[in-house]
Short mmCIF file of all heavy atoms in Angstrom, two decimals:
data_model
loop_
_atom_site.label_atom_id
_atom_site.label_comp_id
_atom_site.label_asym_id
_atom_site.label_seq_id
_atom_site.Cartn_x
_atom_site.Cartn_y
_atom_site.Cartn_z
N LEU D 116 3.16 20.57 19.57
CA LEU D 116 4.57 20.98 19.66
C LEU D 116 4.87 22.12 18.69
O LEU D 116 5.73 22.96 18.95
CB LEU D 116 5.49 19.80 19.36
CG LEU D 116 5.53 18.68 20.40
CD1 LEU D 116 6.41 17.54 19.92
CD2 LEU D 116 6.03 19.19 21.74
N GLY D 117 4.15 22.12 17.57
CA GLY D 117 4.35 23.17 16.58
C GLY D 117 3.71 24.49 16.95
O GLY D 117 3.92 25.50 16.26
N THR D 118 2.93 24.50 18.03
CA THR D 118 2.29 25.76 18.45
C THR D 118 2.82 26.26 19.78
O THR D 118 2.71 27.45 20.08
CB THR D 118 0.76 25.57 18.58
OG1 THR D 118 0.48 24.55 19.54
CG2 THR D 118 0.16 25.19 17.25
N THR D 119 3.41 25.37 20.59
CA THR D 119 3.93 25.79 21.89
C THR D 119 5.45 25.86 21.90
O THR D 119 6.06 26.08 22.94
CB THR D 119 3.46 24.83 23.00
OG1 THR D 119 3.86 23.49 22.66
CG2 THR D 119 1.96 24.89 23.17
N ASN D 120 6.08 25.65 20.76
CA ASN D 120 7.53 25.76 20.63
C ASN D 120 7.86 26.72 19.50
O ASN D 120 6.97 27.17 18.78
CB ASN D 120 8.15 24.38 20.36
CG ASN D 120 8.00 23.44 21.56
OD1 ASN D 120 8.84 23.43 22.44
ND2 ASN D 120 6.94 22.65 21.58
N ASN D 121 9.13 27.01 19.33
CA ASN D 121 9.55 27.97 18.31
C ASN D 121 9.71 27.25 16.97
O ASN D 121 10.75 26.65 16.70
CB ASN D 121 10.87 28.64 18.71
CG ASN D 121 11.16 29.86 17.87
OD1 ASN D 121 10.91 29.87 16.66
ND2 ASN D 121 11.69 30.90 18.50
N VAL D 122 8.68 27.30 16.16
CA VAL D 122 8.67 26.55 14.91
C VAL D 122 9.81 26.97 13.99
O VAL D 122 10.42 26.14 13.32
CB VAL D 122 7.30 26.73 14.20
CG1 VAL D 122 7.32 26.06 12.83
CG2 VAL D 122 6.19 26.14 15.04
N LYS D 123 10.10 28.24 13.93
CA LYS D 123 11.11 28.74 13.00
C LYS D 123 12.53 28.42 13.45
O LYS D 123 13.42 28.25 12.62
CB LYS D 123 10.94 30.25 12.80
CG LYS D 123 9.66 30.64 12.08
CD LYS D 123 9.60 32.14 11.82
CE LYS D 123 8.34 32.51 11.04
NZ LYS D 123 8.25 33.97 10.77
N ARG D 124 12.74 28.32 14.76
CA ARG D 124 14.10 28.12 15.26
C ARG D 124 14.41 26.69 15.66
O ARG D 124 15.57 26.30 15.72
CB ARG D 124 14.36 29.05 16.46
CG ARG D 124 14.37 30.52 16.10
CD ARG D 124 14.81 31.37 17.28
NE ARG D 124 16.13 30.99 17.77
CZ ARG D 124 16.71 31.51 18.85
NH1 ARG D 124 16.08 32.42 19.55
NH2 ARG D 124 17.91 31.12 19.22
N ASP D 125 13.40 25.89 15.95
CA ASP D 125 13.64 24.50 16.35
C ASP D 125 14.31 23.74 15.22
O ASP D 125 13.79 23.68 14.09
CB ASP D 125 12.33 23.82 16.75
CG ASP D 125 11.91 24.18 18.16
OD1 ASP D 125 12.63 24.97 18.80
OD2 ASP D 125 10.86 23.69 18.62
N ASP D 126 15.45 23.13 15.51
CA ASP D 126 16.19 22.35 14.51
C ASP D 126 15.99 20.86 14.78
O ASP D 126 15.40 20.47 15.80
CB ASP D 126 17.67 22.73 14.52
CG ASP D 126 18.32 22.54 15.90
OD1 ASP D 126 17.64 21.99 16.81
OD2 ASP D 126 19.48 22.91 16.06
N PRO D 127 16.45 19.98 13.88
CA PRO D 127 16.22 18.54 14.05
C PRO D 127 16.67 17.97 15.40
O PRO D 127 15.91 17.18 16.00
CB PRO D 127 17.00 17.93 12.88
CG PRO D 127 16.84 18.95 11.80
CD PRO D 127 16.98 20.27 12.52
N PRO D 128 17.85 18.31 15.96
CA PRO D 128 18.19 17.76 17.28
C PRO D 128 17.18 18.17 18.36
O PRO D 128 16.81 17.35 19.21
CB PRO D 128 19.58 18.36 17.57
CG PRO D 128 20.15 18.65 16.23
CD PRO D 128 18.98 19.08 15.39
N THR D 129 16.74 19.42 18.31
CA THR D 129 15.75 19.90 19.27
C THR D 129 14.45 19.13 19.13
O THR D 129 13.84 18.69 20.13
CB THR D 129 15.48 21.40 19.06
OG1 THR D 129 16.71 22.12 19.13
CG2 THR D 129 14.49 21.94 20.09
N ILE D 130 14.02 18.94 17.89
CA ILE D 130 12.73 18.30 17.63
C ILE D 130 12.77 16.82 18.00
O ILE D 130 11.83 16.29 18.59
CB ILE D 130 12.33 18.50 16.15
CG1 ILE D 130 12.09 19.98 15.90
CG2 ILE D 130 11.10 17.68 15.81
CD1 ILE D 130 11.95 20.34 14.44
N LEU D 131 13.86 16.13 17.68
CA LEU D 131 13.97 14.71 18.04
C LEU D 131 13.92 14.55 19.55
O LEU D 131 13.20 13.67 20.07
CB LEU D 131 15.26 14.11 17.48
CG LEU D 131 15.53 12.65 17.86
CD1 LEU D 131 14.39 11.74 17.43
CD2 LEU D 131 16.86 12.18 17.26
N GLY D 132 14.66 15.38 20.28
CA GLY D 132 14.64 15.30 21.73
C GLY D 132 13.25 15.52 22.29
O GLY D 132 12.81 14.81 23.20
N LYS D 133 12.52 16.48 21.75
CA LYS D 133 11.18 16.78 22.23
C LYS D 133 10.19 15.67 21.86
O LYS D 133 9.29 15.35 22.63
CB LYS D 133 10.71 18.12 21.67
CG LYS D 133 11.44 19.31 22.28
CD LYS D 133 10.98 20.63 21.71
CE LYS D 133 11.70 21.79 22.39
NZ LYS D 133 11.32 23.10 21.83
N MET D 134 10.36 15.08 20.68
CA MET D 134 9.47 13.98 20.29
C MET D 134 9.62 12.79 21.23
O MET D 134 8.63 12.19 21.67
CB MET D 134 9.77 13.56 18.85
CG MET D 134 9.17 14.47 17.79
SD MET D 134 7.38 14.25 17.62
CE MET D 134 7.32 12.65 16.77
#
Side-chain angles (χ1 to χ4, degrees):
L116 291 176
T118 59
T119 56
N120 293 273
N121 194 321
V122 175
K123 293 184 177 180
R124 294 187 58 184
D125 279 1
D126 57 6
T129 304
I130 295 169
L131 176 57
K133 289 179 178 178
M134 280 286 286

